[in-house]
């Protein structure tokens, strides 16, 4: 049947103003698409997300924000229902997506939010792509399985918790489930307020005050119920602290963590050894160039064989890394004295705010 033969849509007349308005704005939309395409063409390859990372980031963003939004919607709707405001409760339950409004407002370009989510996505993709254990170790239990039976109960409990946290991170977020600590608390707090504001829709009558109060209380409830200690990164950090690996143990543990595809534990072990925050070490590990990571490994007195094993594993897992370049520089890396490497990475131990200020000044912008 041709399009012209179809029955007329009874809702066509009601939709006509919308159709006409979209047609009138077509030139503007085309201009925006062209601007976006031009910007994309001239992006530097070193900062561009590949298709896998872009898709994973979109999924993660929708999942994390969607869970916060659903919790705030439900709590605000319950409050309004209890306050004899069923019409407002329905307005909240079925309103416009907060994600769409935040995206339109440009708030999702927040550097802290994007830094966290991009780092998390890259960490997950690399962890999943790490080479599986060599055939000679196929019968040996995984690192976390061994640690879960550790004589030190603090280590054993932390290993079990990390297994659970990794499974939790990979599982889909279900609407109505208990809140999950997937973001640093300051970022969660900011998102809760943004989402509450994005859900605000002016009702037909003068009930905006009741709506605002319910949304504000729902955001406060989301913030109060949040516990970032459940985050995968926090759990991995606790396991690294419980292990408290000495210099002679560290190289083996780092290698086992990568062989076990536990990149989170690899990062946490380095962070504990260096006295650095998890997020700072994750940045080092995810850098495709790797120079700072190799210096950190030498500062911790890892030898050539250990650095080679780590470098090869990361090169195989991360397509942005150049394994031939790594092989060419391996002897140079191994020849650097640990004292000299420690001096080179000393700036990493400065306060993060100071380091961020130095970067801002270096690019000609006051922080």
């Amino acid at each position: 049947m041709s399009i012209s033969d179809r029955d007329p849509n009874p809702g066509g007349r009601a939709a006509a103003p919308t159709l006409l308005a979209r047609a009138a704005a077509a030139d503007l939309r085309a201009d925006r698409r062209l601007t976006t395409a031009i910007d994309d063409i001239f992006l530097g390859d070193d900062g561009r997300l590949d298709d896998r990372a872009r898709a994973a980031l979109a999924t993660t963003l929708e999942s994390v924000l969607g869970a916060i939004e659903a919790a705030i919607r439900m709590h605000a709707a319950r409050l309004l229902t209890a306050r004899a405001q069923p019409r407002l409760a329905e307005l909240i339950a079925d309103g416009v997506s907060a994600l769409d409004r935040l995206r339109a407002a440009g708030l999702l370009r927040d550097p802290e939010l994007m830094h966290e989510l991009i780092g998390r996505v890259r960490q997950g993709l690399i962890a999943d792509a790490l080479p599986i254990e060599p055939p000679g170790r196929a019968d040996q239990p995984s690192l976390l399985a061994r640690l879960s039976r550790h004589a030190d109960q603090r280590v054993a409990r932390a290993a079990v918790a990390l297994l659970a946290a990794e499974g939790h991170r990979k599982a889909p977020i279900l609407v109505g489930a208990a809140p999950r600590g997937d973001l640093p608390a300051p970022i969660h707090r900011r998102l809760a307020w943004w989402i509450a504001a994005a859900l605000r829709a002016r009702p037909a009558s003068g009930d905006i005050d009741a709506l605002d109060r319910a949304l504000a209380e729902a955001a406060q409830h989301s913030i109060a119920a949040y516990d970032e200690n459940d985050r995968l990164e926090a759990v991995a950090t606790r396991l690294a602290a419980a292990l408290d690996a000495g210099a002679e143990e560290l190289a083996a543990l780092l290698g086992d963590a990568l062989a076990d595809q536990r990149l989170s534990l690899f990062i946490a072990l380095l962070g504990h050894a260096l006295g650095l925050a998890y997020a700072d070490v994750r940045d080092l590990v995810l850098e495709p160039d790797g120079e700072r990571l190799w210096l950190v490994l030498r500062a911790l007195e890892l030898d050539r064989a250990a650095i080679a094993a780590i470098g090869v594993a990361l090169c195989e897992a991360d397509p942005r890394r150049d394994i031939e370049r790594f092989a060419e520089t391996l002897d140079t890396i191994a020849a650097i004295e640990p004292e000299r490497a420690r001096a080179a990475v000393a700036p990493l131990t400065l306060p993060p705010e100071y380091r961020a200020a130095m970067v801002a000044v270096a690019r000609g912008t006051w922080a």
Side-chain angles (χ1 to χ4, degrees):
M1 181 185 292
S2 68
I3 293 176
S4 60
D5 293 334
R6 291 179 181 171
D7 291 336
N9 180 2
R13 281 190 295 276
T18 302
L19 178 62
L20 292 170
R22 283 187 55 80
D27 282 345
L28 178 59
R29 291 199 306 277
D31 182 69
R32 287 175 177 168
R33 283 194 293 267
L34 177 60
T35 300
T36 300
I38 292 171
D39 288 343
D40 184 67
I41 290 171
F42 291 101
L43 283 176
D45 289 339
D46 60 340
R48 187 190 298 269
L49 295 177
D50 60 29
D51 290 341
R52 285 192 316 151
R54 187 187 297 272
L57 179 61
T59 299
T60 301
L61 184 65
E62 291 180 11
S63 178
V64 171
L65 270 68
I68 301 172
E69 176 180 344
I72 290 176
R73 276 189 193 275
M74 288 190 291
H75 192 77
R78 283 198 299 268
L79 289 173
L80 290 166
T81 300
R83 294 167 186 173
Q85 297 274 6
R87 188 179 57 80
L88 290 182
E90 184 178 346
L91 182 67
I92 284 295
D94 301 326
V96 176
S97 164
L99 181 63
D100 291 343
R101 285 188 168 179
L102 295 179
R103 186 182 286 115
L107 291 174
L108 298 184
R109 293 175 175 268
D110 179 70
E112 289 185 38
L113 172 64
M114 285 296 106
H115 178 263
E116 176 62 30
L117 292 184
I118 291 171
R120 187 172 123 183
V121 162
R122 287 203 189 280
Q123 175 184 314
L125 291 173
I126 293 171
D128 290 342
L130 283 168
I132 59 174
E133 289 184 302
R137 298 175 55 182
D139 296 331
Q140 183 178 351
S142 70
L143 174 61
L144 286 188
R146 299 198 307 272
L147 292 177
S148 68
R149 299 192 294 269
H150 200 281
D152 185 336
Q153 284 302 301
R154 184 171 169 237
V155 171
R157 286 193 298 269
V160 171
L162 182 55
L163 280 168
E166 290 203 333
H168 203 49
R169 172 64 61 84
K170 293 178 180 179
I173 298 177
L174 302 177
V175 174
R180 278 166 48 170
D182 274 339
L183 293 169
I187 297 178
H188 176 91
R189 180 184 183 89
R190 190 180 313 148
L191 286 175
W193 288 119
W194 284 352
I195 288 169
L199 293 176
R200 186 179 192 264
R202 185 169 291 278
S205 60
D207 294 324
I208 191 66
D209 183 62
L211 186 64
D212 282 338
R213 290 186 184 281
L215 285 169
E217 289 181 41
Q220 288 172 326
H221 179 268
S222 174
I223 293 165
Y226 191 76
D227 184 4
E228 68 174 334
N229 290 322
D230 293 336
R231 297 180 67 222
L232 170 64
E233 295 79 3
V235 176
T237 299
R238 289 199 294 274
L239 176 54
L243 287 166
D244 195 21
E248 67 285 354
E249 306 171 89
L250 185 60
L253 279 172
L254 290 171
D256 284 349
L258 291 183
D260 203 21
Q261 296 187 312
R262 309 291 178 182
L263 188 60
S264 61
L265 181 55
F266 177 86
I267 293 169
L269 287 166
L270 281 179
H272 181 73
L274 295 164
L276 294 177
Y278 184 99
D280 290 333
V281 180
R282 181 178 63 191
D283 288 346
L284 299 182
V285 172
L286 297 183
E287 285 176 353
D289 301 328
E291 284 89 351
R292 294 198 298 176
L293 176 59
W294 313 140
L295 285 174
V296 160
L297 296 179
R298 281 303 292 145
L300 294 173
E301 302 187 20
L302 269 68
D303 61 20
R304 185 185 189 281
I307 295 173
I310 290 169
V312 168
L314 291 175
C315 285
E316 289 188 23
D318 187 351
R320 300 174 303 154
R321 292 182 181 270
D322 186 340
I323 193 166
E324 292 183 2
R325 180 182 174 189
F326 170 68
E328 290 170 357
T329 58
L330 180 57
D331 287 335
T332 302
I333 296 163
I336 297 174
E337 293 295 326
E339 293 81 4
R340 189 177 177 190
R342 282 190 283 271
V345 300
L348 295 174
T349 62
L350 294 170
E353 293 84 356
Y354 183 53
R355 288 168 45 218
M358 289 193 294
V359 171
V361 171
R363 67 169 179 258
T365 303
W366 287 102

